[in-house]
Each structure stands twice: as structure tokens, then as C-alpha cells.
Amino acid sequence: MSEKIPVQIDDITCEVERGTTILQACKCAGLRVPTLCHHPDLEVAGICRICVVEVEGMSGLQAACAYPIRQPIKVRTNSPRVRRARRVNLDLILSEHYGDCYTCVRNGTCELQELAREYGVDRYRYPSTTTPKFKIDRSTAIVRDQNKCISCKRCIRTCIDLQQVSALETANRGHNVLIQTAFDKPISDVVCINCGQCINRCPTGALRSNMPNELLWHAIDDPEKHVIIQTAPSPRAAIGEEFGYEPGTSVTKKLNAALRRLGFDNVFDTNFAADLTIMEEGTELLTRLKKVLVDGDSSVKVPMFTSCSPGWVKYIEHYYPEYLDHLSSCKSPQQMFGAILKTYYAKKVGIDPEKMVVVALMPCVAKKFECNRPEMSDSGHKDVDFGLTTREMAVMIKEAGIHLKDMPDEDFDHPLGLGSGAGLIFGATGGVMEAAIRSVYEIVTGRPVPFKGLDVMPVRGMEGIRDATLTIENPLPEYQWLDGVTLKVAVAHGTANARILMEKLKAGKLAYHFIEVMACPGGCLGGGGQPIPTSPEIRAARARAIYSEDHQLVLRKSHENPEINQLYAEFLGEPLGHLSHKLLHTHYTPRGRFFLEGL
Amino acid sequence: MKNEKKKILFGEFVTGAGLVRALEMGPGKVVAEVKASNLKGRGGAGFPTGLKWELTAKQESDEKFIICNADEGEPGTFKDRLLLMEQAEKVLEGMAIAGFAIGARQGFIYLRGEYVYLKKSLEDAIASMINRRFLGQNINKTDFSFEVEVRLGAGAYVCGEEFALISSMNGYRGEPRNKPPYPSEVGFRDKPTVVNNVETLCYVPYIVTKGAEWFKEHGTQASTGTKLFSVSGDVKHPGVYELELGITVNQLLAEVGGEGAKSVQVGGASGLNVAEKDFDKSICFEGLPPGGSIMVFNHQRDMLHVLKNFMEFFVEESCGQCTPCREGNYRLLEGVRMLEKGECSVRYLKELEALCDVMKDSSKCGLGQTAPNAFLSIVENFKTEILYR
Amino acid sequence: MATGTRAVTNELQEILLKYGKDRTQLLPILVEINNYFGHIDSNSIIEVSRYTGVPIGEIHGVITFYSFLGQKKRGKFVIRLCRTISCDIAGKEQIVRVLEKELGIRFGETTEDGMFSLEYTNCIGMCNNPPAMLINDKAYGGLTPERVVEILDSFKLSEYQDMFGYGGVK
């Protein structure tokens, strides 16, 4: 056990481990110290000076978030000095922050607004900013409004340290400091991968997603349009947080009812498309392995990387374009679903695909960019019209006056509404891998995976990089070539971890057959479109919700999904078949390492 | 005050004597002697040098570093420029002794970009010291080796702050970081590092050769030794003066031909403005800030103009990380502009004074903590002149 | 233009190769590029990023932090006039007027022939001899309007001699 140090905070005495910050110690003591630049996922900055406290023996006030306790100390968190400093620093920030609360998407979830409320701010102490200084910058996915920036650098620490994308920078000095994109280029021109993690961590409305709500209402209100929504597992495990549920409450069935009342003509389950992805991707993996292991075909690349995460796809397009051949050619479940809806489903139910509007409820900001990629129209139409984030959907539900908690439980529409537990766990880091293993192993050997309750535990968890091996024994006759082969797989979440993995691969230090990468920490459940706030605890709760839902399902393997089998029988033929190739697979674009194109 | 004028740095010096003596004494005794001398950092902050060395010497590490802080940027200060020009060997010897004391084999001089013209002569001095085996491999034929390299800054006052300096040398924006940990634990390349001011290092060879007791004969009990003062402004004889700590403003003015001054800015833009009524106060670590910058203003000078100049300086030179310094200095400058136009109410001026207190209390580093000093002292000394224009 | 660009790239590579690739070399690299080319353009930033692995945004962040580094092309001779108080009260304004008049540009600008840039700087440690300025890596104190004109002329002359290759006589 590490050394315990006694600490006195106000009139509370407690013991903390050496190195605990004053802020953490205050939490242990049940005291709340206000913060602004602090975020549990990020490196300490200690720059907003809101969390300052008195430490006996130190001449100035100390930032509680940045002060590691290394000897017994006495702390005061509520003295006149402390209150005055916090209030003045808050007033300084407020005077520079331009924008009215009631026209801001973060109204009600803004941490600055919350602080102003707590401190009873009723006027500007210093002359306030009355005109905007910056133009609003938007890409298909992200909107940046520097007028609302308070220079807390959470986005910088997210983009540079947490995600290692480095699309953002701190420029200039002194009062001219700007938090901006690299070289102040439009956000659509820099190496932004649209992961939206900066949005999740921005305390104000300086960063937000590009909301399609108005356009979507138009479509819903248009009687000519047939508006279909598919919902991904992660929003279902998180949207409850927007309606007063504890994190980790899955509200799938209530959400179905709410979406129907909102006006969606069909409500489908993205897990269905996740199962389809497993069929395609699993087959692709086996095909690649055979070509490499048996045929010695050097044009085929392993390890194969998953391609469900559009943030990861863009990351590799920017930073590791030489590895694009390693990316599975499979579209993401969202895009596969869109392509199937506007072909198979449209024909089946006799709707003109031109009048069909496909919406995807996603935990993800990058999905907006993905559905707008020019190559994503293999159905002959734009496969998916709108990528809607969890937060944006919560706004629509509230706007429609729907009380989520009062909704009855309703099921998805069918066909295309049945998803397996394997598709469901796509929402958590390691989920795609686990789903693939469940199916691939069984397809190859005819036996279920040798893990208790089908839970492939080695690929689960929140460690940044995890790996596992699985030896194939006694395969079915057509897979004899895999007999005795030990499959090596790895899982990474957060692009910083992906980078570590990629650098090791580049250096030839690792050998894997299959790698799952999710751009966001925690996987989709930690996506950039998920409810704010986010923290390791909240993400863990969402993961528990997803895994427990998987356990409650009877159908837990993608290849056993009867609706998938029906789709292949009626329409697609077989995985990787001609039609699959046309509709469900895609290609990638090498992009600049420094800017969007070139250089 | 003692009658005879005692000099240290402007006294006799034999290159290498201190280093040779230090090598004989051993690191422990060198640290002990410097600690006993009560030498305090001459950059302005006044941290005890011996303690800094002791803390760094204690650290277990494969590498340690000595950095000579030659980022002399405080307005009105130029004594380090003079030392680097005329007494470079003394600086280098101080660095080598410091390196020997804490177990470092590598030293850097972080030279401000504005002094780039000194780089060549410093490198010549390093070469000459290597030739005489006072630097480089096996110094004075012992096991001790010590290299020195000159690194250039590029125009940033805040890099004089030791944490900012280390960030800058590490290849980042020169932004101060949180403490602890201190540079003695995590510094350049994340290794234990001592950052000492140019002038501080210059006293080291003397303390080692002549002893702590001799050094303490200079100055006051809490502020031992002499100090270089950079004197500028409305005086007959601007320049660098070596004077004992504890000298009063009046005595100093008499020395430099600054009689009849309206006010004196002691310690630079981040120091205090001292009006005539306080000219009998002494300059030392327990008194007026002894950073070494003395700027004298005569009765023709508009003190609001002086203040504006200082505030413009801080608005631009703040690193811009922390709220009180980034926004506070800007609000103070805005207040000065309001005062110029006669638009600042007494009530708002009080608000700004309260802001100054918060900046001193809650800024992340010394820059923000001292930036309001000029505002507070000038407003206090010249309130009538400033408010009713 | 292609050869010209390649020549610049070669010179840039030569500078880079003098330094190690670790991040602590970043500032020395940037200072040298800035002094050699008069600025650090986007291409140089990208090359430095390739060499050191530091993202371009962070390099740009470092450049914009230091007032001597810049992306804008400066003149061959960068005149930095001290504006801090000791120089200010010693007649800085007069020097400002002389410099602007003699060079025909305002502070913050560069002469059309790319020869001179005028900038302000904070205290350069010449307070004992004010007003003072830096021209590239030299400091000039005790400035008077006459002396400023003399100094400018000497630079123009040396430039003329450099251009025609007979700068031997002094």
C-alpha cells in the first residue's frame, strides 16, 4: 500500500494517498470545489484559476486540480480570499465570453453558465464583449464558435494529448491567445477526424456538432417523405441521461415509442446492420487469411483493420495512408443499413427510394461526415441522409414535448428490426472483435467460442490496447487450412492508443491477424455525440448497460440472425457476393498528413 | 550602512580558482558552503540558491542539468548583459561549480534572443575555458566533466520564469507549468534541473574561495551579499552599480545622480513604484524588491503614461494561459485608457484594485502575481494626478 | 521556379540535419530557419514536422508564441525599436518618426525592396543608453535622428557593396 498522508480541509480531516490532488481529496471529504479547465479524462492544466484554494504556508492561492499532496497540509476551500478570487476570475472569463445563453445549444449544460448561476452573477463587473470577433466555422460535422471560447484548452488537450489528432493549436501570446485549428484553417481543411471528443469536453458552446434538426423536421413534416430511423446501441444506452436517468440505463424500447410519436415512419435497429457487417467482415477476414496463409498472395494485407469507426477511418487516411489496404472494405453498419433500405427494403415495401429519408441515430459526430462522403451512394441515392447524434435527438424529443420516461415499451419494426447481442456490443470497445470472434469461430469449427457464456472477456474492458489469441482446432473440412492456426487479435480505443499500435506495427514489432480500432475512448459509447458530461465512470456505466442487455438476449450471434439470413436468401445472395460488393463495401482516400489534401 | 563601499563582482577575480577549490571540497561541502552563505537568487524571486542545489543534488537520476537563466527581460535590467559581456568566465565557472555540486554534466545558457550578439563571445569563452580544462572533459584532470551550450530564446519575457524557460527549452510554448513538482525534480528533458540567474552564478566562485562568512559580511542579515543594480531613466549616470543589499533609495539616488526624482521604479515593471515619501526605505529581500532594475522618473514625467507603458508590456508578454493574468492585465490596461480619457470612476478604480489583489493571489506564475504591482503602487502614489486629469 | 524551390528545400534540409530530432531541438531549429530565411513559412513548418514528429499545429503554436519568430517574410534587416519606458521617455517617438520617414514605411511593415522591416520590441536591455534598437543581431543605443540616418545609410551602403562585390574598402 502506498503512503497515507493526513489532510485537513476546512474542518474535515482525512487521509489520502501521496500524490492525490487537493481536488480529489476534497471530493473524498465530500466537498465540492468548482472547476472549469479541469476534466477527468485530461491532463491537468491549472489555468482557469477557478478551483483555487488556500494552502497553509503558501503565499498565493493554489489550484486544487493541480496541487499534488505530498505532505500533511491544511486547506481552506471557502474563505473570503478564495471566494473573491473565484468570483473575479469568473467575472473576467464572463466579460470575454460573447454570446447569449438562450441562443446557445449548451444552454442548461454549459459549465460557465452553471458557475455564473452558482455565484449569483447578476451583472458584468468589467465591460463585456458586445460584438462577435470571430466568424463561425463549420464543417459537415463540427461547428466552431471562437467567440464563446474561454481558453480553458480542454479541446487542445483532447485533440493533442488524448486523441493525438492535433488538428487544434494554441496560437499567440498574452491577451491575443487563440484556441484555433492548425494555422487557423477552416476546420474542414485540417486533419480533424470529426471524432467530436473536443465537443464532449468543451465547457461552453464554442464547439458543437452541426445539427441537422431543422432539415430533419422538414422531412418529417413532409407527407410525401417516408422517414426511417435506425438507432445504434450506444445512444440507446445513453440518451436516458438527457432525461434524468442514471448513466447506464438503456431505454431502447421507450425510445422506439418516442421516435414513432416524433413522426418516424419506421424505427429499425442498427444492430441488424451490425450483424450484416459481421457476416461481410468475417467472410472478408477468412478470405484474406486464406489468400495470405494458403495462396501466399502478397497483394492481400493482414492484419485487417475494422472500418466501422469513421473517425478511425479518417485518421488512418490522414496519418497512415500506406495502411489503407489493411482496412476492411466493409462499410459501417450505418452505411450498410442505408444502402439496404434504399434498395431491398424500398422494393419490398414499394416505396420510391427517392422519397425515402434515412436517418441514423448515432453516438458519433463523424457519422455526419461519413454519410456525406461522395462514395456513399451505392444505392443510387444518398445511402444515409442524416447522421443525428444522441444529443441532437434528445433536443428533438424535448421539442416535441415527449416525456421519455412516460413512454410505453415498443419493439422495432420488421424485417430489418432484429439485431443480435453481437451487433449490440458493437457499442463498446472490443465489441466488434467479440462479435466477429463469436461468428467466425463457429463458422470455422461448427462449435461456439470456447468462452463461458459466449463472453470473450480478453477483448473487453477499458484498457487502451488489449490483445487475445485463439487457436483453431478441428475445423470443419472446408477450413482445414486453419487447423492449428493461432489467430492473434488486438483492440484499441482512442486514436492515441491506435497510434501506439500503428507505430509498433510499422516498426515490425507486432504481428496480428485482425485489429479493431474505435476512434473514441470507450468505443462508440464514448462517442462525440453522446450526452455531456463524459468521464471514465459514465462510460463504464454505459458499457455495463450494453453488456447486460446482450446477456438478456436469446439471439447473440450475428450469423444466427434469421432476418440476416432472409436478406441473403432474398436479395444479397452470399457474403462478399456481387451485390454485397456493390452495396456494402467501399474504398478509401489517402489524405494529407498535414492538411486535408496534398502535402 | 557601512561606510566603505564593498564590491564583490567588480572586485578581483582569478578564473578557475573557485572551481579548483570546489573540486577539492567535494560536492557536499560546496552545497553546504553556498547554503551557509544565504545567497539568494538574483533574478528577483530570491529563492535560496544553496537549498535549490541541495534539493537537486538529492535527486537520483542518470542525468541532471544546470541552466543559466540569461533571459534578462525585466524592463530596466541590463546587468546580466554586462556580466555576459565582461565576465563570461565567471558565469561559466559558477555553472561548472553548480554542476559539480549537484551531479550534472551538462549546462545550458538560455540567452534571450535580444542578446544574440553575445552568443559568439560566450562560445569563445566556453572554448577558452575548455582549453584551460575548466570546462569539458576531466576538468582540472579530475573525473568531473561539464559541457556548456548556448541556447537562444526568441523574444518572450515570460521565459525568464524558470518553469516557462524549461518548457521553452523542451520545445514547447514558453508557458509556466504547475508546481510541484519543481525543476529540482522534473526539469529539462524531465530530469532534475537547477535554473540559476547569471548574476547568482557569478557569486558562486567567490563564496567557494572566500567562504560563506566573508560573503555574509556584505548586505544585511537576511539579504547577504552585494547586488548589481541597473540604473536608467532620469539620472546623470545610468549604468550598472554593485551595491550592498539594504541600501536605501535615497542612498542609491545619491550614488547615481538621481537626486530630485519624482518616483523610482524599483525592481522593474513587475516591481514597485516608490514615491519620494518612501525614499528612505531599503532595497533588500525583506524590503523593496531587489530585482536590480532601478528606473528613475523626474517631476516632468506623467505617471499614467509610465503605467500605460508597463501595462502594455504585460498584456503582450503574459503567456496567456491563466485567466487572471491573460484577462486581468488586459482589464488593467483598459482601465488606464479609461483614466487617460477621464472616464474611469473612483468606484471602478477600486474594482480594478481588487482585481490586482486577485491577480497577485491567484495567478499561476510570478509574472501574473507581480504584474499588478506597478498598477497598485502608481495608483496609490499618484491617485490625484491620475484620477483628476 | 521548381529549381528555386528545390534550392530552398535543400538549404532547409541542411539546417535540419544539424540538429537532433528530439523535441528539445525545436526552438533552436526554428530560430535558425527564421534567421536564415527571414521567416518560417508553411512549407518549412511541414518539413520541421516531418523531421521532428511534432504536429504542425504545435509548431505554429510555438512560432506565434515568440515575437522574434514569424510566418510573415521580414526584410533582410529587421529593425526592432525598443518601446519600453526608459527608451520611451528618452525620445523614442522622435526616432519612430525618423525611421518611418527615412524608410517610407510604417511600423509593422517591410520596405518594397525587402530590405528593411520596422517593428517594436520590448526592453532590449539597453536602458542605460536610450533610445535603443536592434538591427538583426546588433544593438544600437543613444539614438538621435542624425545617428539613425547614419546607421541606415551604412546598411544601405554595405548592401550596395555586397551587390556589386567590392565591399573591401572600409
Side-chain angles (χ1 to χ4, degrees):
Chain A
M1 273 307 283
S2 64
E3 188 190 346
K4 291 276 187 184
I5 297 169
V7 182
Q8 194 186 325
I9 307 174
D10 298 333
D11 52 358
I12 300 165
T13 319
C14 57
E15 280 198 333
V16 295
E17 272 179 34
R18 189 183 151 85
T20 306
T21 64
I22 293 179
L23 185 67
Q24 291 165 328
C26 288
K27 269 187 198 144
C28 296
L31 290 163
R32 189 179 164 278
V33 171
T35 56
L36 206 48
C37 71
H38 175 78
H39 192 282
D41 289 326
L42 302 177
E43 302 211 356
V44 165
I47 54 178
C48 72
R49 315 309 281 183
I50 291 291
C51 71
V52 286
V53 293
E54 272 185 58
V55 176
E56 202 175 85
M58 302 288 284
S59 59
L61 299 174
Q62 303 296 315
C65 69
Y67 193 99
I69 297 167
R70 314 202 294 182
Q71 61 213 31
I73 54 168
K74 281 186 184 175
V75 176
R76 295 186 69 193
T77 70
N78 178 21
S79 66
R81 258 176 87 198
V82 167
R83 280 197 305 273
R84 181 184 64 170
R86 285 182 189 165
R87 177 62 199 266
V88 164
N89 286 330
L90 179 59
D91 283 325
L92 286 170
I93 294 169
L94 284 169
S95 298
E96 274 294 302
H97 172 78
Y98 170 82
D100 291 321
C101 289
Y102 38 82
T103 56
C104 181
V105 67
R106 291 294 298 274
N107 190 357
T109 60
C110 171
E111 292 177 43
L112 183 61
Q113 184 188 41
E114 173 72 14
L115 273 179
R117 199 167 56 80
E118 276 181 20
Y119 278 74
V121 175
D122 58 356
R123 68 183 173 98
Y124 287 108
R125 189 185 301 260
Y126 313 105
S128 66
T129 309
T130 49
T131 47
K133 284 188 228 157
F134 304 95
K135 272 199 287 193
I136 292 176
D137 173 27
R138 45 180 90 226
S139 69
T140 51
I142 291 176
V143 182
R144 212 162 56 92
D145 182 355
Q146 282 175 282
N147 295 299
K148 290 176 179 164
C149 176
I150 56 168
S151 300
C152 71
K153 295 201 193 185
R154 281 199 203 171
C155 57
I156 294 280
R157 285 174 280 153
T158 302
C159 196
I160 293 177
D161 304 330
L162 184 74
Q163 289 290 73
Q164 293 194 5
V165 172
S166 302
L168 298 176
E169 65 167 47
T170 311
N172 306 336
R173 193 174 67 199
H175 193 251
N176 294 324
V177 156
L178 288 179
I179 307 301
Q180 62 182 28
T181 48
F183 291 33
D184 199 25
K185 296 257 185 202
I187 191 145
S188 51
D189 288 358
V190 296
V191 293
C192 175
I193 61 164
N194 306 302
C195 68
Q197 291 299 314
C198 55
I199 300 175
N200 279 356
R201 288 170 184 80
C202 178
T204 72
L207 287 157
R208 60 182 200 262
S209 55
N210 198 343
M211 285 175 85
N213 294 26
E214 283 305 310
L215 291 170
L216 184 50
W217 278 123
H218 265 289
I220 289 173
D221 295 340
D222 184 346
E224 290 282 296
K225 299 274 196 236
H226 187 86
V227 188
I228 299 176
I229 189 160
Q230 45 158 315
T231 72
S234 291
R236 299 176 336 216
I239 199 167
E241 294 163 31
E242 297 272 355
F243 296 90
Y245 286 96
E246 281 299 307
T249 316
S250 204
V251 293
T252 312
K253 293 192 165 182
K254 285 184 187 301
L255 184 63
N256 286 344
L259 295 175
R260 288 202 178 95
R261 293 192 190 193
L262 211 63
F264 287 101
D265 299 301
N266 284 125
V267 182
F268 288 132
D269 189 349
T270 307
N271 296 353
F272 168 84
D275 287 335
L276 185 58
T277 304
I278 288 299
M279 296 308 293
E280 293 292 329
E281 199 164 298
T283 312
E284 186 187 351
L285 177 65
L286 288 171
T287 310
R288 284 195 191 218
L289 288 177
K290 185 159 188 226
K291 282 190 179 156
V292 170
L293 298 176
V294 181
D295 308 341
D297 183 347
S298 62
S299 69
V300 172
K301 302 287 191 237
V302 285
M304 183 174 90
F305 303 134
T306 59
S307 57
C308 317
S309 166
W312 157 240
V313 169
K314 193 157 182 263
Y315 190 82
I316 193 169
E317 285 177 334
H318 279 299
Y319 282 110
Y320 299 98
E322 69 274 26
Y323 277 86
L324 287 179
D325 287 346
H326 290 251
L327 265 184
S328 161
S329 65
C330 289
K331 289 182 183 173
S332 69
Q334 160 179 299
Q335 293 304 127
M336 283 196 183
F337 214 141
I340 292 295
L341 283 169
K342 290 198 175 176
T343 54
Y344 168 73
Y345 184 74
K347 204 170 157 195
K348 195 177 175 77
V349 295
I351 299 169
D352 178 3
E354 204 41 51
K355 294 192 170 145
M356 199 181 250
V357 176
V358 174
V359 183
L361 173 58
M362 290 287 147
C364 182
V365 179
K367 288 282 171 194
K368 294 170 188 291
F369 176 84
E370 184 184 32
C371 77
N372 283 303
R373 278 174 177 255
E375 64 269 25
M376 292 293 177
S377 52
D378 293 320
S379 63
H381 312 272
K382 192 178 176 191
D383 293 344
V384 172
D385 297 277
F386 297 109
L388 199 69
T389 66
T390 313
R391 291 190 299 270
E392 290 157 356
M393 178 51 80
V395 170
M396 290 187 75
I397 293 173
K398 287 175 189 166
E399 191 178 357
I402 293 167
H403 296 267
L404 192 69
K405 280 191 171 173
D406 299 337
M407 286 294 110
D409 286 352
E410 289 184 12
D411 284 323
F412 290 102
D413 292 327
H414 294 282
L416 316 184
L418 184 64
S420 73
L424 177 79
I425 58 173
F426 266 50
T429 164
V432 178
M433 184 56 72
E434 180 165 350
I437 289 174
R438 283 185 196 172
S439 283
V440 167
Y441 188 86
E442 196 163 328
I443 287 167
V444 167
T445 65
R447 304 182 302 272
V449 280
F451 290 97
K452 196 182 157 209
L454 297 178
D455 295 342
V456 187
M457 294 312 284
V459 297
R460 291 191 186 180
M462 286 293 171
E463 237 177 280
I465 299 171
R466 309 181 290 282
D467 56 12
T469 54
L470 189 63
T471 304
I472 308 284
E473 280 161 359
N474 288 328
L476 295 170
E478 65 261 49
Y479 294 106
Q480 273 308 318
W481 53 274
L482 271 173
D483 195 17
V485 172
T486 299
L487 291 179
K488 291 183 184 163
V489 301
V491 170
H493 61 121
T495 39
N497 290 316
R499 170 167 293 213
I500 295 171
L501 206 56
M502 291 303 294
E503 290 300 323
K504 283 187 180 164
L505 277 178
K506 260 177 106 166
K509 286 182 185 157
L510 297 173
Y512 288 111
H513 296 103
F514 190 28
I515 296 177
E516 177 206 297
V517 180
M518 293 294 157
C520 294
C524 302
L525 54 85
Q530 291 281 66
I532 294 169
T534 185
S535 70
E537 292 76 28
I538 291 172
R539 294 193 293 274
R542 292 173 188 162
R544 279 197 300 277
I546 285 175
Y547 283 119
S548 79
E549 224 183 318
D550 170 43
H551 262 256
Q552 289 157 20
L553 294 174
V554 181
L555 177 63
R556 296 184 59 209
K557 300 168 197 162
S558 300
H559 61 283
E560 289 178 354
N561 186 336
E563 293 188 358
I564 290 288
N565 295 331
Q566 187 190 353
L567 175 68
Y568 277 110
E570 289 181 9
F571 184 61
L572 289 172
E574 56 175 357
L576 286 191
H578 172 69
L579 205 49
S580 292
H581 233 284
K582 179 171 179 305
L583 294 175
L584 310 181
H585 291 259
T586 187
H587 58 273
Y588 306 102
T589 315
R591 294 172 200 269
R593 196 193 158 103
F594 303 104
F595 296 107
L596 186 65
E597 306 297 343
L599 292 171
Chain B
M1 208 49 206
K2 293 142 195 141
N3 288 328
E4 55 167 328
K5 282 176 190 151
K6 291 185 189 166
K7 309 268 189 217
I8 298 178
L9 300 184
F10 287 168
E12 277 175 37
F13 181 71
V14 183
T15 303
L19 184 56
V20 171
R21 176 84 189 99
L23 292 171
E24 289 163 10
M25 286 163 76
K29 277 192 179 159
V30 174
V31 172
E33 198 66 31
V34 174
K35 215 177 157 192
S37 75
N38 202 14
L39 172 66
K40 288 180 179 170
R42 295 311 201 232
F47 192 84
T49 306
L51 183 57
K52 205 181 240 187
W53 289 14
E54 189 180 60
L55 292 170
T56 319
K58 265 199 249 166
Q59 296 289 318
E60 300 270 343
S61 176
D62 54 336
E63 264 185 311
K64 295 179 187 177
F65 299 102
I66 298 290
I67 298 175
C68 167
N69 184 347
D71 195 61
E72 180 178 52
E74 187 64 47
T77 316
F78 44 94
K79 44 115 187 157
D80 292 345
R81 173 170 59 88
L82 187 103
L83 289 174
L84 294 167
M85 275 171 82
E86 296 177 0
Q87 307 197 10
E89 290 188 351
K90 212 180 278 181
V91 182
L92 292 167
E93 186 174 338
M95 290 178 73
I97 295 171
F100 176 69
I102 67 150
R105 296 166 54 90
Q106 174 74 54
F108 295 93
I109 297 177
Y110 186 90
L111 183 69
R112 65 187 305 225
E114 291 83 344
Y115 289 176
V116 59
Y117 49 86
L118 296 176
K119 188 167 185 253
K120 174 85 175 54
S121 61
L122 281 172
E123 282 169 350
D124 290 347
I126 292 168
S128 148
M129 293 279 278
I130 291 172
N131 274 338
R132 285 176 284 159
R133 304 200 85 161
F134 293 139
L135 281 179
Q137 295 298 309
N138 303 101
I139 290 173
N140 203 35
K141 294 174 189 152
T142 64
D143 289 344
F144 177 58
S145 302
F146 191 75
E147 314 274 347
V148 176
E149 193 186 321
V150 181
R151 287 280 174 98
L152 275 178
Y157 164 75
V158 68
C159 288
E161 202 271 355
E162 61 179 353
F163 292 86
L165 188 154
I166 288 169
S167 295
S168 174
M169 285 205 28
N170 279 334
Y172 292 82
R173 291 161 57 81
E175 292 172 342
R177 52 154 221 244
N178 296 295
K179 55 191 172 198
Y182 296 93
S184 57
E185 301 153 282
V186 181
F188 180 60
R189 291 197 185 123
D190 294 342
K191 304 288 183 184
T193 301
V194 160
V195 183
N196 281 149
N197 172 264
V198 173
E199 184 186 345
T200 312
L201 287 165
C202 286
Y203 292 103
V204 167
Y206 293 98
I207 293 170
V208 170
T209 41
K210 299 193 178 179
E213 286 311 313
W214 167 85
F215 184 76
K216 280 155 70 175
E217 286 166 17
H218 305 73
T220 72
Q221 204 172 2
S223 305
T224 53
T226 56
K227 175 80 191 82
L228 297 189
F229 289 91
S230 314
V231 180
S232 65
D234 298 317
V235 293
K236 286 196 195 84
H237 314 292
V240 176
Y241 291 80
E242 181 176 8
L243 300 164
E244 283 184 85
L245 282 165
I247 190 170
T248 66
V249 178
N250 263 329
Q251 287 167 326
L252 195 144
L253 286 174
E255 185 90 18
V256 303
E259 297 91 343
K262 177 180 182 181
S263 77
V264 180
Q265 186 73 18
V266 180
S270 68
L272 287 176
N273 186 271
V274 180
E276 234 175 316
K277 64 179 167 50
D278 294 320
F279 282 179
D280 58 343
K281 288 192 176 162
S282 55
I283 302 170
C284 53
F285 290 105
E286 59 274 34
L288 298 172
S293 163
I294 301 290
M295 293 185 281
V296 181
F297 303 109
N298 67 25
H299 283 273
Q300 272 78 59
R301 302 299 173 194
D302 173 358
M303 292 314 291
L304 191 60
H305 178 78
V306 172
L307 178 56
K308 188 179 173 191
N309 190 285
F310 289 155
M311 291 328 299
E312 282 169 344
F313 175 81
F314 286 120
V315 167
E316 193 181 306
E317 294 292 351
S318 158
C319 84
Q321 279 192 94
C322 79
T323 309
C325 184
R326 180 186 65 243
E327 304 300 341
N329 281 309
Y330 171 74
R331 293 298 167 188
L332 294 182
L333 175 61
E334 185 185 57
V336 172
R337 289 187 182 133
M338 287 162 78
L339 284 163
E340 272 184 336
K341 292 186 217 153
E343 287 170 358
C344 184
S345 67
V346 176
R347 195 176 148 274
Y348 190 65
L349 190 60
K350 276 218 168 74
E351 201 80 270
L352 292 178
E353 285 174 301
L355 167 62
C356 288
D357 290 339
V358 170
M359 288 169 69
K360 286 167 80 165
D361 220 9
S362 69
S363 289
K364 188 169 175 178
C365 83
L367 193 158
Q369 287 159 9
T370 55
N373 285 343
F375 189 96
L376 281 176
S377 52
I378 290 179
V379 166
E380 193 197 311
N381 289 341
F382 302 100
K383 200 165 235 163
T384 331
E385 175 186 327
I386 280 170
L387 255 182
Y388 307 104
R389 295 163 76 84
Chain C
M1 266 327 277
T3 46
T5 314
R6 196 151 53 231
V8 168
T9 310
N10 286 343
E11 287 166 326
L12 189 62
Q13 292 304 331
E14 265 173 43
I15 292 175
L16 290 174
L17 288 174
K18 281 199 257 173
Y19 295 94
K21 292 188 171 198
D22 74 305
R23 185 143 184 175
T24 60
Q25 301 292 325
L26 184 60
L27 189 57
I29 290 174
L30 293 177
V31 166
E32 180 156 353
I33 293 175
N34 189 73
N35 291 349
Y36 189 86
F37 294 108
H39 67 144
I40 309 170
D41 63 9
S42 301
N43 182 52
S44 303
I45 294 176
I46 285 166
E47 290 307 318
V48 173
S49 176
R50 268 192 233 282
Y51 187 75
T52 59
V54 180
I56 50 165
E58 285 196 64
I59 297 173
H60 189 250
V62 168
I63 291 170
T64 55
F65 188 87
Y66 298 96
S67 48
F68 281 16
L69 305 181
Q71 276 205 283
K72 212 174 78 180
K73 177 104 177 134
R74 288 169 156 125
K76 182 165 182 186
F77 303 109
V78 183
I79 301 176
R80 294 189 168 95
L81 179 67
C82 176
R83 68 173 148 201
T84 304
I85 195 72
S86 294
C87 286
D88 181 277
I89 61 175
K92 176 209 78 182
E93 276 310 311
Q94 203 181 12
I95 304 302
V96 170
R97 285 196 296 275
V98 173
L99 282 168
E100 289 189 337
K101 210 165 155 188
E102 283 296 312
L103 296 173
I105 54 170
R106 313 288 302 218
F107 269 75
E109 295 176 351
T110 299
T111 53
E112 258 180 33
D113 58 3
M115 215 45 81
F116 293 97
S117 292
L118 275 183
E119 287 178 16
Y120 288 114
T121 187
N122 288 324
C123 187
I124 55 171
M126 295 284 289
C127 329
N128 54 331
N129 199 12
M133 66 183 181
L134 292 170
I135 301 184
N136 291 357
D137 52 6
K138 278 203 179 98
Y140 300 84
L143 298 177
T144 59
E146 295 76 24
R147 196 163 136 65
V148 167
V149 173
E150 266 171 42
I151 292 167
L152 289 181
D153 284 349
S154 74
F155 272 91
K156 286 176 188 163
L157 183 67
S158 75
E159 197 47 35
Y160 185 76
Q161 288 168 339
D162 277 0
M163 219 183 299
F164 294 96
Y166 54 89
V169 187
K170 271 219 160 163

